[in-house]
Amino acid sequence: MTVYLVGAGPGDPGLMTARALELIALADVIIHDRLIPVSALDGARADAQLIYAGKQGGGEQVPQAEITRLLVEHGRVADIVVRLKGGDPFVFGRGGEEAEALVEAGIDFQVVPGVTAGIAASAYAGIPVTHRDLASSVAFLTGHEDPDKPGSALDWAALAAFPGTLVVYMGVRHLQAIAARLIAAGRAADEPAAVVQSGTLPGQRTLVATLATIAARASEARIGAPAIAIFGPVTALHGQLRWLERRPLHGVSVAVTRAREQGSRLAERLQALGAAVILAPVIRTKSLPGPPPDLGSYDLICFTSPTGVEALFERLDAAGLDARAFPGSERTRVAAIGPATARALAARGIRADIVPAQAVGEALAEALAGLPVARALVARAREARDVVPESLRAHGAEVDVVAVYETVVEPLDEQTLEAVAGTDYITFTAASTVRNFLAAAGGAQAWLARGSARPRVVSIGPVTSAELRAQGLSPDIEAQSHDIDGLVDALVSA
Ligand code: SAH
């Protein structure tokens, strides 16, 4: 029975530590804050108890005494309790108090440090908190308290004289008073200063001014929480080192109306260029029940998607069978269209013999062309392309195509629709995605009737554009080259 005080990092899921991810996956109970990465709990066990202990609806914080009580209560009975906090648990996270309460209650605990916002938001803003020529020390302080309140815990004279970078957490609200205090205590009014809002997140914004002007600039620009303020000459390096905000699609939000593999490749490309991507997964896969094929009668079994693997195993399972229904590898070869499909097979104990490097039908057909195949089974989606079966037949094989699942259009929930409606761009990669999206959104009329700030419509090419027009949605941008690269280029130059 152990309680782990775990840092979840500043917001970018990629900055969670390997240890944090491991503990989240093992935890019986997770007590988490509001400022954790959106996907932080994705890897939690389905039966884990998730307890929210942050601000309730932007209002009152769950009182610290209540959080400590929860930790002790669960720490006494559950094997693994994870207390998940934004950034680092011991940096302005009240992790110290929680650890003390655990010691007092005689409960074992461990601490897993996280990447703290002061370091991470600075780094993502291109501001090195120390620098050989500019800053040999750095101090982290809280701006939570009103500095004009009597009995402030901070020694402003010492901070003003501090020979290095000052990083202020929780300081947006009192920025004006904090800067004024420091200047009054002797810090140079023209010292470069910065604020970084939503550091490491797609909406990250950085402002650089001087200690005297930063508060006014921040309020003009409506900088809001979470934000850190950084005071010191290093902040001037932002202009030169702003690697994140310089990416071509930084600050741009794009909805991707998912058309399976194509959609996720587009999403990855856009994210790599800095865009905030909202996925609108309007199609869902649905297994088609039926008798399991007689696997022993084939010398080649092909899978063209991970879903196909799962759906075939569902059929085996329904018939009381398992992986032993696959014949020995000396008799029957198993082919997977790509690494993801091979992994799905491996998870079921089947090692794929053939996996082309590129996960497309043509590559699989080519990889299979040289094999002596008499009877082949292709387990796949109902509406898939015929490249693989046709190629096998052309090489003399008898081919059974079994549709083990189909894709169906699913209505989008209100939250996703709102998120899509709030983006800068909505992309369509095929005529079918236009039809599917509008069906999922309750029809073109309903979609168009939503708010005035609708995203601009981006089409991959003339066929998709024609479908958009037919549905009453005119494309604002059409890609010049009608593929994913062309669509990305169109967005970058938009
Ligand atoms: N334990 C956390 C800090 C909690 S205090 C850590 O180590 O990072 C909350 C404050 O952290 C916020 O008011 C803000 O000043 C800062 N903060 C947290 N996430 C941030 C982010 N993504 N960008 C900028 N500042 C952030």
Side-chain angles (χ1 to χ4, degrees), residues 10 35 86-88 91-93 116-117 121 168-170 196-201 226-228:
L35 280 182
D88 179 274
V91 178
F92 305 125
T116 189
V168 187
Y169 288 66
M170 298 176 278
V196 185
Q197 178 185 334
S198 302
T200 80
L201 293 164
I228 51 152

